[in-house]
Amino acid sequence: MRIPLHQTYRAFRELDGFSDEQCEQWVRRVKAQFAIRHLVIATVVAGVTFSVAGAIGVGSQIPLEMLDVFEAGSSPEFAYHIFSLLIFPPGAAGLSWLIVRDRLLIRAIRNRVLLVRCPRCRYSLLGLRHEDGFVLCPECGTRHELAALGLSPADLIGPRDAA
Ligand SMILES: [Zn+2]
């Protein structure tokens, strides 16, 4: 896992008290559910970024001078052209891909944390035990069917077992 996403789940107080292993497993599920959508969106954004960065790179060139520069070899201008044409566009695209994918995953984690709540009193249902697909809200005493909330038992993570 890359550094920007390292223990992102620690930003959510609802996930306090769960072990890293529990959180990572839970995040992996969220990630897998949105993998294709996130991949498509990140790739589209990266494609647009590549086009824009490529246009900036090409736009910053002077065609006639470019010919001279490429003949000249290793001048500072040559390095500039290599950067603006061959390094800047793919670099910007790759960076945007990573940033977009990370932002989408963080949003998906936040949405899932918000989803796993009692619809009546908003108490977080994370860490609660379920019985036959039902969970009892300890705050207001309402018994909820997980399926009716669009949840599965794994969405509750399970009992907190971190120190
Ligand atoms: Zn409740």
Side-chain angles (χ1 to χ4, degrees):
M1 186 148 299
R2 293 185 315 282
I3 291 165
L5 273 183
H6 183 64
Q7 297 196 334
T8 302
Y9 47 83
R10 288 289 166 231
F12 299 93
R13 62 182 168 75
E14 290 88 345
L15 296 172
D16 285 352
F18 294 106
S19 66
D20 286 340
E21 196 187 343
Q22 284 178 309
C23 290
E24 277 158 18
Q25 200 180 344
W26 189 80
V27 166
R28 266 201 299 276
R29 281 187 74 245
V30 176
K31 201 173 174 180
Q33 280 169 9
F34 293 99
I36 292 175
R37 189 196 295 183
H38 289 179
L39 193 68
V40 169
I41 296 171
T43 304
V44 168
V45 173
V48 171
T49 305
F50 183 83
S51 304
V52 172
I56 292 169
V58 171
S60 68
Q61 311 294 320
I62 301 165
L64 282 174
E65 191 187 74
M66 221 173 102
L67 285 175
D68 292 340
V69 163
F70 275 99
E71 280 168 14
S74 62
S75 64
E77 289 86 355
F78 181 74
Y80 170 74
H81 289 294
I82 289 295
F83 173 80
S84 59
L85 290 174
L86 301 179
I87 296 173
F88 174 59
L95 194 63
S96 72
W97 193 89
L98 292 174
I99 291 171
V100 168
R101 212 188 60 157
D102 287 358
R103 296 311 304 174
L104 289 171
L105 180 58
I106 290 167
R107 199 178 68 169
I109 293 170
R110 184 181 301 121
N111 288 343
R112 183 59 52 91
V113 165
L114 292 176
L115 188 69
V116 189
R117 282 173 187 268
C118 171
R120 195 169 165 194
C121 72
R122 312 303 297 157
Y123 186 84
S124 178
L125 303 175
L126 290 167
L128 298 179
R129 292 179 190 280
H130 68 96
E131 262 178 49
D132 301 325
F134 284 84
V135 65
L136 185 70
C137 174
E139 188 71 13
C140 69
T142 310
R143 194 164 175 259
H144 298 290
E145 186 180 5
L146 289 173
L149 301 180
L151 302 174
S152 73
D155 287 319
L156 304 179
I157 305 183
R160 286 175 168 82
D161 68 12

